[in-house]
Amino acid sequence: FLPEELLNNTADEHSIPLLLCNHGGGDDPVQAVDELGWLKLAGEERIAIIAQRHTSEIPGSSIFDGSPFDTMSDVLPQMVRYMLETYPALDPSRVYATGYSMGGAATVETIEWAPQLFAAAVPMAAGSPSGIYAPTEEQAAAFDTYNVAMMFTTSEYDLPSAMDQQSHTIGEGYRECINRFAVLNGLGELNYDFESWPFVGFEADRIVTTLLNGEYENTTWYLNNEADFPVLAVSYTELLPHGLHPEYGTIAWEFM
């Protein structure tokens, strides 16, 4: 999904941000971009979006056939590099990644493979903990030079890995992944204490509460680095199930 001024070469050099949007299992690229609100935002904000199809189209096949857990964590950074080389109007300092469910896990993997490409990422309801890639020592070492601001989103009736409905806390999969990026982004390891800090288990530097579409209460907890820059965030929306919502794109874009 590319702005007209990018295609006809009238846009200034490095003037257009680039978003990688990874669809979830059972979705497709157009559905994800549209129903997460990105299509509307792209028109208003002039965002270039790449959204690949990474599951099988063969009838009766599993949603995990050809999933991003196979090759996409390597392929997706290559696709971003191709776009930046092909279109000089794209801004290499404003490249972002997001994705829902299985696409959220693909987003996590992509950032761990190539943090130097991205300014921020928003994994949404990021799949199962078994599908989230753990970086090698060499890949983790790249974060000594490059930080990527990360926001993890979830909702009240999300997957157990993201939202533990019984304890009303972030799920075990999210705890592990959020802690990993706290370390990678220089915040140090988080020691979760859900009695002192309900739901997220850590003391936030800033908490913002708002209503999505005037209906659903959303709360976001931010953690800042030594430069007082928000490099980690958790966003939680009440009442919503595991599924796409048009306000999620707005939450992500404002963070990015």
Side-chain angles (χ1 to χ4, degrees):
F1 302 87
L2 303 179
E4 182 180 12
E5 61 270 28
L6 181 74
L7 293 173
N8 64 20
N9 297 315
T10 61
D12 293 338
E13 184 179 15
H14 297 173
S15 64
I16 296 176
L18 175 64
L19 174 72
L20 169 67
C21 184
N22 303 306
H23 72 80
D27 306 337
D28 62 62
V30 175
Q31 179 183 6
V33 169
D34 187 14
E35 294 188 18
L36 286 170
W38 286 115
L39 198 57
K40 180 174 181 289
L41 282 167
E44 294 171 348
E45 303 290 340
R46 313 313 291 167
I47 307 167
I49 299 177
I50 45 177
Q52 83 300 336
R53 182 184 300 276
H54 55 231
T55 54
S56 174
E57 295 182 334
I58 300 173
S61 63
S62 167
I63 62 172
F64 295 104
D65 286 351
S67 81
F69 308 131
D70 299 327
T71 60
M72 284 300 176
S73 52
D74 187 32
V75 171
L76 296 180
Q78 296 289 2
M79 187 162 62
V80 169
R81 291 187 182 99
Y82 168 81
M83 292 295 292
L84 293 174
E85 292 169 0
T86 303
Y87 298 102
L90 294 177
D91 185 351
S93 72
R94 290 187 296 158
V95 178
Y96 310 105
T98 191
Y100 198 88
S101 192
M102 184 168 68
T107 301
V108 171
E109 293 191 31
T110 302
I111 298 305
E112 291 176 337
W113 275 67
Q116 66 272 23
L117 290 177
F118 299 93
V122 182
M124 301 177 177
S128 63
S130 62
I132 295 178
Y133 175 79
T136 64
E137 290 185 9
E138 181 180 359
Q139 290 165 344
F143 285 84
D144 293 340
T145 305
Y146 305 100
N147 287 162
V148 182
M150 302 288 291
M151 172 185 278
F152 293 83
T153 75
T154 185
S155 57
E156 187 165 1
Y157 302 106
D158 204 350
L159 297 176
S161 59
M163 168 65 187
D164 188 326
Q165 295 176 25
Q166 290 186 329
S167 64
H168 197 75
T169 65
I170 52 174
E172 289 188 8
Y174 254 19
R175 294 177 210 175
E176 184 274 331
C177 200
I178 291 167
N179 214 346
R180 187 191 316 154
F181 277 95
V183 172
L184 292 174
N185 278 333
L187 299 177
E189 190 167 338
L190 301 176
N191 296 310
Y192 292 107
D193 180 352
F194 294 102
E195 290 187 6
S196 299
W197 298 290
F199 187 73
V200 291
F202 57 78
E203 184 178 11
D205 294 302
R206 184 163 64 106
I207 303 173
V208 177
T209 301
T210 187
L211 281 180
L212 302 189
N213 197 40
E215 298 176 282
Y216 305 106
E217 185 170 295
N218 172 269
T219 303
T220 303
W221 294 260
Y222 296 89
L223 285 174
N224 299 346
N225 61 12
E226 292 182 353
D228 206 29
F229 187 85
V231 293
L232 196 62
V234 176
S235 179
Y236 165 73
T237 305
E238 294 185 354
L239 298 178
L240 289 178
H242 181 77
L244 308 178
H245 190 277
E247 295 295 325
Y248 287 163
T250 300
I251 292 172
W253 182 243
E254 289 177 352
F255 177 72
M256 293 167 177

